[in-house]
Amino acid sequence: MERVNITAAQRETGKGPARRLRVAGSIPAVLYGHGYAPKALSVNQALLSKTLKGAAGRSVLINLAIEGQDSVLALLKEYQRDPLKQQITHVDLLAVNVNEQIEVEVPLHFEGQAAGVKEGGVLEVSRRTLTLRCLPNALPEFVVVDISALKIGGNIHANEIQLPPGVTFPHTDNFSVVQVVAPQKEEVAAVVAAAPVEVPAMAQKGEAVPGAAAPSAPAKGGSEKSA
């Protein structure tokens, strides 16, 4: 299991101090869990961003060295990003004990080409992470899911994934993480070719338009007005 070393310092709370930390290249953080009262800390932004971009993401164990205090083993629990700049603006760190099991969201890596895809099916991935339970030192960076035998109409459920020793899927609610579905047939609407309609030219005065009804004769018994 990968570990990274990050140094943290205690910080002031409040929006003003937090804003100044970000300008200086640090991120406000909170450490809690395993008997720790929540501690307001700051960590290096560049180092933490590099940790999150790795293959393991949140499943990296952090050796957190707090200035003036003992080191703490921690996990990245939650983080917030600026919606425009996409920079991390705040992190929650969960203190853990190497002798106590934890539940962590671990990435899934799908390997192989599904047999159903070779037959024209479409691969649909429902979940890209899975919450697992294990001791911190047994925490995998990711879990491999072999999809090569997956046929059209087939799927792989969470409890069917082969996990490393000491790692379990703790939930009773089972669900599909990946499946191959049949391709949707495109329904092409039938195009009816309509013959062009010829509109006859305006007839000269007194000429009948072909196909038009003849003008009706004046009703009998009518009287003409004298000039």
Side-chain angles (χ1 to χ4, degrees):
M1 176 64 211
E2 180 185 358
R3 290 197 189 191
V4 296
N5 298 315
I6 294 181
T7 301
Q10 298 193 58
R11 65 174 175 89
E12 296 180 61
T13 58
K15 293 183 178 180
R19 189 180 301 110
R20 290 192 291 271
L21 279 174
R22 297 185 187 104
V23 172
S26 295
I27 302 172
V30 174
L31 174 69
Y32 58 89
H34 192 64
Y36 281 90
K39 293 185 178 182
L41 305 173
S42 65
V43 295
N44 182 270
Q45 183 182 49
L47 182 55
L48 189 64
S49 297
K50 182 180 178 181
T51 300
L52 284 176
K53 289 179 181 178
R58 295 192 187 186
S59 59
V60 172
L61 285 173
I62 300 173
N63 290 321
L64 190 66
I66 305 174
E67 293 180 354
Q69 301 181 30
D70 294 335
S71 296
V72 178
L73 186 62
L75 283 168
L76 180 65
K77 186 65 176 178
E78 298 289 345
Y79 64 92
Q80 300 171 4
R81 288 185 184 272
D82 183 287
L84 297 178
K85 299 179 180 179
Q86 289 299 304
Q87 293 178 343
I88 301 173
T89 57
H90 188 277
V91 293
D92 287 359
L93 300 169
L94 178 66
V96 297
N97 187 319
V98 292
N99 298 316
E100 293 182 2
Q101 289 195 338
I102 54 176
E103 290 189 7
V104 184
E105 195 174 349
V106 177
L108 298 177
H109 285 196
F110 299 95
E111 291 189 355
Q113 184 177 8
V117 172
K118 296 178 182 179
E119 299 170 356
V122 179
L123 184 72
E124 290 186 350
V125 177
S126 304
R127 301 287 184 97
R128 295 192 178 275
T129 62
L130 198 63
T131 300
L132 303 176
R133 177 181 291 163
C134 62
L135 292 174
N137 287 333
L139 180 63
E141 295 182 7
F142 56 85
V143 172
V144 174
V145 182
D146 185 1
I147 62 172
S148 56
L150 203 55
K151 298 181 179 180
I152 293 178
N155 54 50
I156 297 176
H157 286 80
N159 65 355
E160 298 173 322
I161 297 175
Q162 186 173 358
L163 300 175
V167 180
T168 61
F169 175 64
H171 304 291
T172 55
D173 292 337
N174 196 18
F175 47 82
S176 174
V177 298
V178 60
Q179 54 273 330
V180 176
V181 298
Q184 294 182 354
K185 295 181 180 179
E186 296 183 359
E187 297 181 358
V188 181
V191 179
V192 180
V197 179
E198 294 183 0
V199 180
M202 291 291 294
Q204 294 182 2
K205 187 177 181 179
E207 295 182 355
V209 177
S216 56
K220 292 183 179 181
S223 59
E224 294 182 1
K225 294 181 180 181
S226 56

